Amino acid sequence: WDCVNPQGSAVTTGAGEEMVELGFIASGGRGLGLRGAALSGSVCNRRVQYVKTIRMAADDGGDADAVIETGSSPDLVVPPTSHQMNALKDLAIAVGVFGTLKVGLGPLGLSKFSGFVNPIGYYAAWLGLAYLPFVVNKDRRVDISSMETRKSTNTDLVAPEGFTNCSPPPRMEAKVYDCSPVELRNKFFTMAKSQPSTGYLSGDEENLTYAFVQTTPLMKYPDVISVQFLPSGQGKSTLAIFSTSIFGQSDVGKNKARVDEWLSKLD
């Protein structure tokens, strides 16, 4: 985070994990005039204390007074655990169990049962295959506004009226929320973190678009959920959300049920 004094020299702040420390170097102490200097920062992975405004004034004697106001930025939000970490954890557990049993049965005189361990190895291999699409394409966010077509059998779409000309059209119109897009994003992140087998995939802070992955409990079939938060006038906001399955031609209504459940919990 940086601010610039009237003479044009940069004053750089150092951000630690829990707080921000500020340091100023002044020559002569005359008329610093840093009134209302603005500080900005990007979204972080934890909530920190930040400096909101700085007001400094100096008299002819060179004595300066400073007023520093601090607070918690609404833009600092903790996203859910990444899908990459969830997938690697599941894969490590499966490989660890397979290797331990395969090696450990021999010394115990139970080698004849080693064939029963093979399905665990097959399961570990499947987990690797299920994660492969996200190695090939790490982002997988969908630009909902420019989407032209979608499958009707394994996707679901809810969006504001006129936001997309996709065919088939959105199943229903998204509601309007009595908060800003950033506040709605924060509430959505909090809700998503509470969902089972859900990981954060990627995001674009400038356009407030994000992607999440939710997997089935055992076989880890992945579904990608793209969401964009939009202003709706008068300090309100809305969203567009698109849920799609990576594998299979039919989701037996799972994506629709997920979107309905997530929007219900967001309320």
Side-chain angles (χ1 to χ4, degrees):
W1 292 347
D2 301 322
C3 62
V4 179
N5 67 23
Q7 286 73 37
S9 60
V11 182
T12 302
T13 68
E17 287 190 344
E18 296 297 341
M19 62 169 47
V20 175
E21 297 179 356
L22 293 177
F24 292 93
I25 300 176
S27 175
R30 292 178 178 270
L32 296 179
L34 286 175
R35 186 173 300 275
L39 298 180
S40 64
S42 62
V43 173
C44 303
N45 284 344
R46 62 185 301 170
R47 188 172 290 275
V48 300
Q49 289 297 106
Y50 79 113
V51 176
K52 184 169 60 176
T53 58
I54 304 170
R55 297 194 302 274
M56 297 188 71
D59 57 26
D60 289 340
D63 295 327
D65 296 320
V67 177
I68 298 177
E69 301 177 5
T70 64
S72 294
S73 167
D75 293 341
L76 302 180
V77 54
V78 182
T81 304
S82 71
H83 175 63
Q84 289 86 344
M85 290 302 297
N86 287 340
L88 290 176
K89 179 186 68 175
D90 293 337
L91 185 58
I93 292 174
V95 171
V97 171
F98 174 73
T100 300
L101 293 176
K102 203 69 172 173
V103 174
L105 289 177
L108 295 175
L110 300 174
S111 300
K112 61 181 179 180
F113 296 106
S114 62
F116 293 101
V117 181
N118 290 337
I120 302 178
Y122 303 148
Y123 179 65
W126 162 248
L127 292 182
L129 290 174
Y131 179 56
L132 186 60
F134 303 97
V135 176
V136 176
N137 182 354
K138 296 180 180 180
D139 194 337
R140 304 197 76 87
R141 276 176 300 142
V142 174
D143 185 353
I144 301 174
S145 63
S146 62
M147 186 168 58
E148 296 181 356
T149 61
R150 67 182 180 94
K151 293 182 179 179
S152 60
T153 56
N154 65 352
T155 68
D156 190 56
L157 174 62
V158 171
E161 184 179 1
F163 181 68
T164 177
N165 293 320
C166 177
S167 178
R171 174 171 57 89
M172 67 178 186
E173 183 180 350
K175 67 172 291 185
V176 174
Y177 298 84
D178 192 17
C179 61
S180 70
V182 170
E183 291 171 325
L184 182 60
R185 184 273 311 274
N186 292 354
K187 292 178 180 179
F188 190 95
F189 270 32
T190 300
M191 179 276 300
K193 284 191 293 184
S194 68
Q195 301 307 301
S197 303
T198 300
Y200 178 78
L201 194 60
S202 59
D204 177 359
E205 299 297 337
E206 183 177 355
N207 296 310
L208 292 180
T209 61
Y210 306 89
F212 301 83
V213 179
Q214 188 172 44
T215 59
T216 56
L218 179 60
M219 296 307 296
K220 304 299 179 181
Y221 291 112
D223 295 342
V224 175
I225 303 96
S226 298
V227 59
Q228 183 171 358
F229 303 96
L230 307 159
S232 187
Q234 298 180 340
K236 299 183 179 182
S237 61
T238 186
L239 58 79
I241 181 170
F242 176 64
S243 181
T244 180
S245 300
I246 299 297
F247 301 118
Q249 294 298 316
S250 176
D251 63 359
V252 294
K254 180 60 179 177
N255 284 290
K256 175 182 179 298
R258 174 186 298 109
V259 170
D260 286 343
E261 179 183 1
W262 284 25
L263 293 179
S264 175
K265 291 184 176 181
L266 187 62
D267 292 338

